[in-house]
Amino acid sequence: MAVNAPAATTPQVDAFRRWSMLGLGVFAQASSAVFVHGVPFLLPELTAQGMPLATAGLLVAMPTVGLVCTLIAWGYVVDRIGERKVLVAGPLLMFVAGAAAATTSSYPALGVLLFLGGVGAASTNGASGRVIVGWFPPHRRGLAMGIRQTAQPLGVGVGAVAIPLVAGAQGVAVAILVPAIMAAVAVVGCLAGIVDPPRPAGSAADRANPYRGSTTLLRIHAVSVLLVFPQATVWTFALLWLHRDIGWSLPVAGALVTATQLLGAAGRIGAGAWSDRVGSRLGPLRSVAIAAVATMAALGLAACAQWWWLAIPLLVIASVVTVSDNGLAFTAVAEIAGPYWSGRGLGIQNTGQNMVLAVIPPMFGALITYSGFPATYLAAAALAVIAIPLVPKDESSR
């Protein structure tokens, strides 16, 4: 898939406005990432209180469940009413749910509020991506989307540092105020700074369903779903592995996880710039899939042998490699789907990914309980192998 394939002509705005909207999109998405992916860092506190790991995993998966249930609906709303309203409404819901969570001492009530926060978090995925595709020209979209995709690892990094510390000092419920406050800032920023990119007048053919007559989008979705297994395994359980198996303190383990997330953010930018340079999203996507399998398999073997001197560097490498595919696939989906279907296309893309994210904490938590961390890392690598032959071939080059 060539990078000059989008159906719409990119409208002209000044560079400052374009990059400022990218910054706002990154921050809004980061607040969502802290809410959805930072909550699993409550696992040490929840298990320390006597909650079984599988049960705690189910609780921290609730934001992801809320997100999965509403991603496609939010994408439809984006396609119908535009990006700005969605980027205000969703973070507002996150803020309300998070503020309410800080007042509850009931785990069932906390689960419901985490679910609602996940519903709000779903809004930023498609809307912020659509803003970037709408305002950036094709030869800069890979870089811009790579920068936008740094929001996820940056959000995980913030969650790794802040949420365990706040939970340990003030309790689980108060820790949810971290993403809630970020969401409130995002509401104000997006209300003031986001402008909907205009959609060009199009024929009926331009508005046609891009899923009919082609399997390209479906294959990209499947690849992304499979590559979530190694990515989410590292995100969800790295802190617990470093603390429980290797014996590191939570602050030290959290610092390493944060560092890996920052490196992962740089990896996403690099992958996006690489795709711009070679004129392809799918070629780099295939290479990243191969690298993810190799690094996760090596991590599993090193952890099994208890070669910590090797396993820890491999954890860092895996944390970078396993997140580098997201921006590539996200940009490819938006470009292929076009301006009239990109909201729904990105919603479908994220739904599949987050369905896996929702089941990994309880499912792999149980696997860790019975088989250990090394077997879990190897299982994630085995699932990712299936993604490699599914990556579509490029139909053309720039």
Side-chain angles (χ1 to χ4, degrees):
M1 194 277 302
V3 301
N4 58 349
T9 301
T10 305
Q12 297 299 312
V13 294
D14 63 85
F16 175 80
R17 192 61 181 270
R18 181 184 300 138
W19 288 98
S20 67
M21 285 191 285
L22 173 58
L24 288 170
V26 168
F27 186 83
Q29 183 64 30
S31 67
S32 296
V34 176
F35 207 113
V36 174
H37 306 300
V39 169
F41 294 114
L42 293 170
L43 284 173
E45 181 67 20
L46 292 170
T47 54
Q49 295 175 5
M51 184 179 290
L53 180 57
T55 303
L58 179 61
L59 179 64
V60 303
M62 291 309 294
T64 304
V65 175
L67 182 142
V68 167
C69 289
T70 54
L71 276 167
I72 297 175
W74 278 116
Y76 178 80
V77 173
V78 168
D79 288 337
R80 295 286 293 182
I81 70 171
E83 295 77 9
R84 181 172 176 267
K85 293 177 181 177
V86 170
L87 284 171
V88 171
L92 181 60
L93 178 57
M94 267 196 295
F95 167 70
V96 172
T103 68
T104 185
S105 58
S106 165
Y107 284 133
L110 179 59
V112 171
L113 292 167
L114 291 176
F115 175 87
L116 292 175
V119 171
S123 66
T124 64
N125 286 50
S128 61
R130 168 65 195 136
V131 166
I132 292 167
V133 173
W135 287 121
F136 280 82
H139 65 282
R140 288 288 181 266
R141 281 191 193 134
L143 174 62
M145 194 68 81
I147 294 172
R148 182 265 185 192
Q149 292 295 102
T150 65
Q152 208 165 32
L154 289 175
V156 175
V158 170
V161 171
I163 287 180
L165 292 177
V166 176
Q170 302 294 330
V172 169
V174 178
I176 309 302
L177 280 177
V178 174
I181 292 171
M182 291 181 65
V185 175
V187 169
V188 176
C190 291
L191 183 64
I194 294 293
V195 177
D196 290 341
R199 289 172 171 81
S203 64
D206 294 326
R207 299 173 185 266
N209 186 340
Y211 290 89
R212 292 177 180 170
S214 173
T215 62
T216 299
L217 285 172
L218 292 175
R219 290 177 65 176
I220 295 172
H221 296 330
V223 168
S224 296
V225 164
L226 291 164
L227 293 180
V228 166
F229 281 97
Q231 178 185 123
T233 300
V234 171
W235 276 359
T236 304
F237 297 109
L239 183 72
L240 193 63
W241 176 62
L242 291 168
H243 178 60
R244 182 176 293 183
D245 277 24
I246 302 181
W248 287 14
S249 68
L250 285 176
V252 173
L256 179 64
V257 171
T258 300
T260 62
Q261 294 302 316
L262 294 174
L263 291 172
R268 291 188 177 199
I269 295 173
W274 175 24
S275 75
D276 285 339
R277 186 166 58 251
V278 302
S280 169
R281 315 297 179 205
L282 301 179
L285 179 60
R286 183 177 297 105
S287 298
V288 169
I290 294 169
V293 171
T295 53
M296 286 300 294
L299 173 60
L301 294 173
C304 183
Q306 296 187 0
W307 293 344
W308 308 135
W309 57 272
L310 179 60
I312 293 172
L314 283 170
L315 175 68
V316 175
I317 295 170
S319 298
V320 175
V321 171
T322 59
V323 301
S324 297
D325 66 285
N326 286 48
L328 300 171
F330 211 71
T331 309
V333 168
E335 290 178 335
I336 294 170
Y340 298 103
W341 271 83
S342 58
R344 279 163 284 185
L346 295 175
I348 295 169
Q349 168 80 3
N350 279 291
T351 297
Q353 290 180 299
N354 284 284
M355 285 177 67
V356 176
L357 286 171
V359 302
I360 279 179
M363 182 177 72
F364 276 23
L367 181 59
I368 289 169
T369 300
Y370 292 104
S371 301
F373 286 97
T376 303
Y377 295 148
L378 292 173
L383 288 165
V385 168
I386 306 170
I388 297 172
L390 288 177
V391 178
K393 295 182 181 294
D394 285 327
E395 297 178 357
S396 58
S397 59
R398 191 184 336 174

